[in-house]
Amino acid sequence: MLSVTDIMTKVDEFLYEHSSIYEAIDIMRRLKWNTIPVCDKNQKLVGVFTRSILYKQLINHTNLSSKIGDYIRKEVYVLPTNTPYEKLYPLTLESKVGTAVVIDECSKVVGLVTKTDLVVTFLQSSQYLTNQLEKILETSQLGACMTDENGYISYVNEQLCSIFEINEQDVLHEDVTNYLPKHYLNDLERDVPRRMTFNHHHTIVRVSTYNLLNGKKGYIALFQNVTEIEQIAQELETVKKLKRLVETAIDNAYDGILMINEEAKIIFFNSMLCDLFELDSHLIKNQHVDQIFPHFNLQEVMKTGVATVSKVMKIKGIKYMLHRIPVYQDNKIIGAIGKISFRQLNEVQEQFRKIDQETKSISISNHVTETSRYSFDHIITRSANMEKLIRSVRKAAKGKSTILVRGESGTGKELFAHAIHSVSMTSNGPFVTVNCAAIPEHLLESEFFGYEAGAFTGAKQKGKYGKFDHANEGTLFLDEVGDMSLQLQAKLLRVLQEKEFYRVGGNDRIQVNVRIIAATNRPLENMVESGEFREDLYYRLNVISFEVPPLRKRQEDILILSDAFIDDLNQINGTSITGIDDYAKKVMLSYEWPGNIRELRNVIERGMVFAEHGKIEAHDLPDYLLNKVKIHSIGIENSMNKQALLNEAEMRVIKEMMEKVEGNKTKAAKMLGISRSLLYKKLEKYQLM
């Protein structure tokens, strides 16, 4: 801070009371002083001789050789050299004296201070402070804005223009509320920083007031650009989270981790390392690695720069291996990592063995999970007995009990099995079908229970899953269960009782949770009496039993099923059969259908192939069926004669159409309203090719 001695004009010459006016004029001329101190012989102040006194004496024609002692002013404004700088400013404003005399601690005159000196000094000081403030604002990255008493911007610094990407000339004399929300100016009592965004720049702004020269107040606002700070903070937060994630991952890894710096001092380790070697974590950090782990030889990798793997070592009976890994930065080794693997050599190795064994079995079986394809909605009937049966089966399907479906071949036993599974508690599980009559007896056991690798000659190298494995948590449908051998019946009984089995060639018990649905067309009761079927297995299977009636006992379903088959086969074969003529219906209703629904579908499909007039007629039905139905021969002959006339007419129409389109079969088929394949059949039939 400036002192009076920095501002004053140093005084080396004085006047005395006996000095002449002429001497005063000489000093004023040479030193350009308006006021000259008058001292005694001890250089202590007596008064001052001023230029105004001189002018007065000259006007009065006072002799220049006259002594000044009679004319000096003894009322002098004196400033000690230790006068604080802050007292000089009010002196400049309030004092009417143009010059003050500066005295030291001994009251000796040492200098003069004029108002001009003070003003110049204050201006210089003000400019200096202004420059300092600008520098502070610039260094602190603060933007500054000041207004007059009316809120119009009177000053902005370069930093503010840079923050807001604006020009100084465009902002000056603008209303500050164009840049600051008005409520910021109305709520200054709280004096809190506020967030503000301008031109995508995030800032913290603090608004206050300052006193103007006219006694009124203006606004001053300071802006701190926090865009970069927020980005840095966000990046730091991300790094902190990542660091914590990495630390957590390392701490919970199967491996022990140890890191050393270029001085071979331990800088990081995880809890797994401490647990394995039973070490206190507080005693490890910053210790030389050879003091704690001399057998690790981690400094070796820092010398060679090549990662190595140790031999298998032991501690407390636990086998472990050490991976030594150098750490580089700018092609310079700055440390090393020791990764101690021990669980991999024990627990993980065992897990891999189990997983590998399961994977081998799964990959060899190449099995795609089966599921039920039909529901009760697919069972088509108008028979009251069938509808009653369906209601009973639905109730039974909800439980877990074994169900035995009985009925003649072709009655739809498998369809019922699918439907039962679709509404059971295991409907989300697999539905696996085994036809006990279709698999050779010597393969049934391996199909049911699977086999281990090398269980028998010809077995797959890695083994195979059985049907019970695939049906686990689902349903296993045993079709034609009456054809199963007694040996296999015994093993099936064990699965039903204990819910476990052994694979062929295996020693491990396999636990399963499977619901059994069995079906047969054989008289199991008679087979039990004759010893062909185990009695205990019969009672296990026959918990809930029902019989699907043959088609001959539900004649009302013959025609409705036929219509359903026609619709289905039209889509499959691309035909357009509309139905069955009345005479053919009578024939079909007169037939007993020993093959049941399966036979009915086959007959419908054959009739659709040979039908030539959009409907299945009697002569389109198989000969064996017609022979078994007692039909009057005249009726058939009449039907045959009528058919011959229709065939003749059809042949003429096709022949004329082919001539008209000059042999273009695509056009002919389109104009006749039939498919090309049907046209080819008819051309071949009438030998028009």
Side-chain angles (χ1 to χ4, degrees):
M1 184 62 68
L2 291 172
S3 65
V4 174
T5 55
D6 296 321
I7 304 171
M8 72 180 186
T9 301
K10 191 174 181 181
V11 174
D12 295 323
E13 296 186 39
F14 312 97
L15 290 174
Y16 300 95
E17 288 183 286
H18 60 268
S19 299
S20 65
I21 295 174
Y22 181 81
E23 289 177 287
I25 294 173
D26 181 58
I27 292 174
M28 287 182 180
R29 179 183 61 81
R30 284 186 296 105
L31 301 179
K32 305 292 190 293
W33 288 355
N34 294 323
T35 301
I36 303 172
V38 180
C39 301
D40 61 13
K41 61 181 180 179
N42 295 320
Q43 201 179 329
K44 292 187 177 181
L45 186 65
V46 176
V48 293
F49 187 82
T50 65
R51 189 178 294 274
S52 60
I53 294 174
L54 174 61
Y55 291 160
K56 185 176 181 181
Q57 299 309 315
L58 290 175
I59 292 170
N60 294 332
H61 302 287
T62 304
N63 191 331
L64 296 180
S65 59
S66 301
K67 297 178 181 179
I68 65 169
D70 297 330
Y71 310 112
I72 63 174
R73 179 184 298 163
K74 295 192 176 182
E75 294 177 359
V76 182
Y77 202 100
V78 178
L79 291 174
T81 53
N82 60 356
T83 303
Y85 177 81
E86 55 269 18
K87 288 187 177 181
L88 297 177
Y89 181 72
L91 174 65
T92 306
L93 298 176
E94 299 168 4
S95 175
K96 296 180 180 180
V97 178
T99 303
V101 179
V102 181
I103 60 174
D104 62 13
E105 61 274 7
C106 297
S107 299
K108 291 182 178 182
V109 175
V110 293
L112 295 172
V113 175
T114 67
K115 271 193 174 182
T116 302
D117 292 332
L118 289 174
V119 170
V120 170
T121 300
F122 291 147
L123 286 174
Q124 291 175 344
S125 178
S126 176
Q127 185 61 45
Y128 172 75
L129 291 173
T130 300
N131 293 338
Q132 276 193 321
L133 180 59
E134 286 280 2
K135 194 65 178 177
I136 291 171
L137 292 174
E138 180 182 347
T139 305
S140 63
Q141 301 292 304
L142 289 175
C145 169
M146 300 177 72
T147 74
D148 59 17
E149 66 271 22
N150 298 316
Y152 292 104
I153 297 172
S154 58
Y155 168 82
V156 291
N157 68 346
E158 291 184 8
Q159 189 63 29
L160 183 68
C161 295
S162 175
I163 292 174
F164 287 169
E165 298 178 358
I166 54 179
N167 294 320
E168 180 181 357
Q169 298 305 318
D170 296 336
V171 178
L172 290 175
H173 312 301
E174 288 283 320
D175 192 330
V176 73
T177 56
N178 293 338
Y179 303 93
L180 273 176
K182 194 170 184 179
H183 64 273
Y184 283 16
L185 307 177
N186 297 333
D187 186 18
L188 298 179
E189 292 182 1
R190 291 192 296 168
D191 190 27
V192 294
R194 304 171 185 270
R195 289 184 60 86
M196 182 181 133
T197 301
F198 190 89
N199 283 350
H200 307 293
H201 291 283
H202 302 291
T203 63
I204 298 295
V205 58
R206 185 184 292 272
V207 183
S208 59
T209 59
Y210 72 101
N211 294 322
L212 296 167
L213 293 175
N214 58 11
K216 296 184 179 181
K217 292 184 181 294
Y219 296 108
I220 181 169
L222 297 178
F223 298 83
Q224 172 70 57
N225 189 355
V226 295
T227 303
E228 293 183 4
I229 296 175
E230 288 184 345
Q231 290 175 350
I232 293 171
Q234 189 173 0
E235 290 175 4
L236 286 174
E237 187 64 27
T238 302
V239 170
K240 285 171 63 179
K241 288 180 181 178
L242 182 60
K243 180 176 179 287
R244 186 59 192 148
L245 284 172
V246 172
E247 288 177 348
T248 303
I250 291 175
D251 219 32
N252 291 277
Y254 275 117
D255 298 326
I257 299 293
L258 176 72
M259 296 183 188
I260 62 174
N261 60 16
E262 59 267 28
E263 298 174 357
K265 290 187 176 181
I266 299 170
I267 58 173
F268 180 82
F269 52 87
N270 67 348
S271 59
M272 201 65 65
L273 180 79
C274 298
D275 293 343
L276 178 62
F277 292 94
E278 295 183 344
L279 294 171
D280 187 343
S281 60
H282 299 291
L283 302 178
I284 299 177
K285 197 164 187 180
N286 296 323
Q287 296 297 315
H288 196 282
V289 67
D290 287 346
Q291 293 179 357
I292 311 296
F293 304 104
H295 54 292
F296 279 11
N297 294 326
L298 272 180
Q299 290 193 80
E300 174 191 343
V301 77
M302 294 180 66
K303 293 176 182 178
T304 63
V306 179
T308 61
V309 180
S310 73
K311 295 180 180 179
V312 175
M313 296 182 276
K314 280 188 179 181
I315 181 171
K316 298 180 296 184
I318 299 173
K319 296 178 182 179
Y320 71 92
M321 293 175 65
L322 174 66
H323 297 245
R324 307 180 189 93
I325 306 164
V327 179
Y328 285 89
Q329 182 176 346
D330 298 328
N331 295 322
K332 181 182 176 182
I333 296 177
I334 61 169
I337 296 175
K339 187 176 75 167
I340 299 88
S341 303
F342 60 98
R343 293 193 180 179
Q344 286 87 340
L345 305 179
N346 298 283
E347 300 171 13
V348 176
Q349 188 176 17
E350 178 63 21
Q351 290 298 323
F352 277 137
R353 187 191 69 79
K354 292 180 180 179
I355 293 171
D356 184 59
Q357 188 177 28
E358 293 177 4
T359 304
K360 288 177 182 177
S361 300
I362 293 171
S363 62
I364 290 175
S365 66
N366 196 25
H367 176 76
V368 178
T369 303
E370 302 174 51
T371 185
S372 58
R373 300 188 302 275
Y374 309 108
S375 65
F376 282 103
D377 294 335
H378 290 91
I379 301 175
I380 300 170
T381 183
R382 285 179 180 169
S383 167
N385 290 334
M386 277 290 290
E387 290 174 352
K388 181 180 178 181
L389 175 65
I390 290 171
R391 287 194 295 272
S392 299
V393 175
R394 276 184 177 273
K395 292 180 181 179
K398 300 292 184 181
K400 295 183 178 180
S401 302
T402 301
I403 295 178
L404 178 62
V405 185
R406 311 184 70 165
E408 296 179 8
S409 179
T411 52
K413 297 187 292 295
E414 184 172 353
L415 178 61
F416 268 93
H418 279 270
I420 292 169
H421 176 76
S422 70
V423 297
S424 69
M425 290 187 293
T426 60
S427 60
N428 292 326
F431 178 84
V432 180
T433 300
V434 180
N435 191 323
C436 301
I439 303 174
E441 185 175 338
H442 65 282
L443 294 179
L444 266 176
E445 185 175 356
S446 62
E447 282 293 317
F448 268 116
F449 308 117
Y451 56 81
E452 297 289 350
F456 52 84
T457 303
K460 291 184 178 180
Q461 185 178 359
K462 297 182 180 179
K464 181 182 177 182
Y465 276 173
K467 297 295 185 182
F468 271 97
D469 289 298
H470 295 313
N472 192 27
E473 302 300 334
T475 301
L476 180 63
F477 175 49
L478 303 177
D479 199 9
E480 307 298 347
V481 71
D483 295 320
M484 191 182 301
S485 67
L486 288 171
Q487 181 182 0
L488 191 59
Q489 289 177 28
K491 295 195 174 185
L492 176 61
L493 179 64
R494 176 179 176 81
V495 179
L496 294 179
Q497 290 177 335
E498 308 296 335
K499 296 190 181 297
E500 63 183 27
F501 64 90
Y502 292 90
R503 291 201 179 95
V504 177
N507 297 317
D508 297 331
R509 283 185 294 184
I510 311 298
Q511 300 285 334
V512 289
N513 180 24
V514 176
R515 184 185 195 177
I516 300 294
I517 300 176
T520 184
N521 60 357
R522 301 188 64 181
L524 295 184
E525 293 82 2
N526 297 339
M527 293 176 68
V528 170
E529 291 180 5
S530 63
E532 297 177 74
F533 201 85
R534 291 181 63 104
E535 184 176 12
D536 47 6
L537 178 59
Y538 168 74
Y539 287 117
R540 275 286 175 183
L541 295 176
N542 199 36
V543 176
I544 297 175
S545 176
F546 61 86
E547 184 166 356
V548 182
L551 194 56
R552 63 181 174 274
K553 292 185 178 180
R554 39 186 284 214
Q555 281 197 335
E556 57 267 57
D557 289 341
I558 293 175
L559 297 182
I560 188 175
L561 287 170
S562 298
D563 290 340
F565 291 150
I566 289 172
D567 291 343
D568 188 32
L569 292 168
N570 273 334
Q571 294 182 20
I572 295 172
N573 298 328
T575 52
S576 54
I577 303 302
T578 58
I580 306 170
D581 78 351
D582 293 341
Y583 194 74
K585 288 179 181 178
K586 291 180 181 179
V587 174
M588 292 172 66
L589 290 172
S590 301
Y591 183 60
E592 292 193 351
W593 301 102
N596 294 292
I597 297 173
R598 186 181 294 118
E599 182 185 11
L600 175 62
R601 182 184 175 93
N602 291 342
V603 168
I604 293 297
E605 185 170 6
R606 180 191 186 280
M608 291 175 68
V609 171
F610 290 102
E612 296 179 348
H613 298 94
K615 284 190 176 184
I616 298 174
E617 299 180 357
H619 61 272
D620 297 324
L621 301 176
D623 291 340
Y624 76 85
L625 188 151
L626 296 174
N627 292 334
K628 288 186 177 181
V629 177
K630 295 180 181 180
I631 303 174
H632 197 277
S633 60
I634 296 176
I636 295 178
E637 288 177 4
N638 289 340
S639 176
M640 294 296 185
N641 292 335
K642 186 187 296 183
Q643 185 62 40
L645 292 173
L646 290 172
N647 288 345
E648 179 69 23
E650 185 179 54
M651 183 182 70
R652 286 200 306 270
V653 171
I654 293 173
K655 186 176 181 181
E656 290 174 1
M657 183 58 68
M658 290 299 293
E659 291 174 354
K660 183 176 180 180
V661 298
E662 299 178 350
N664 189 319
K665 298 180 181 62
T666 301
K667 288 185 178 180
K670 187 174 181 180
M671 295 181 72
L672 289 170
I674 60 177
S675 65
R676 284 186 62 189
S677 59
L678 183 58
L679 176 62
Y680 273 103
K681 288 180 182 180
K682 292 186 180 296
L683 290 173
E684 187 176 357
K685 175 181 177 180
Y686 298 128
Q687 299 180 357
L688 296 176
M689 297 289 286

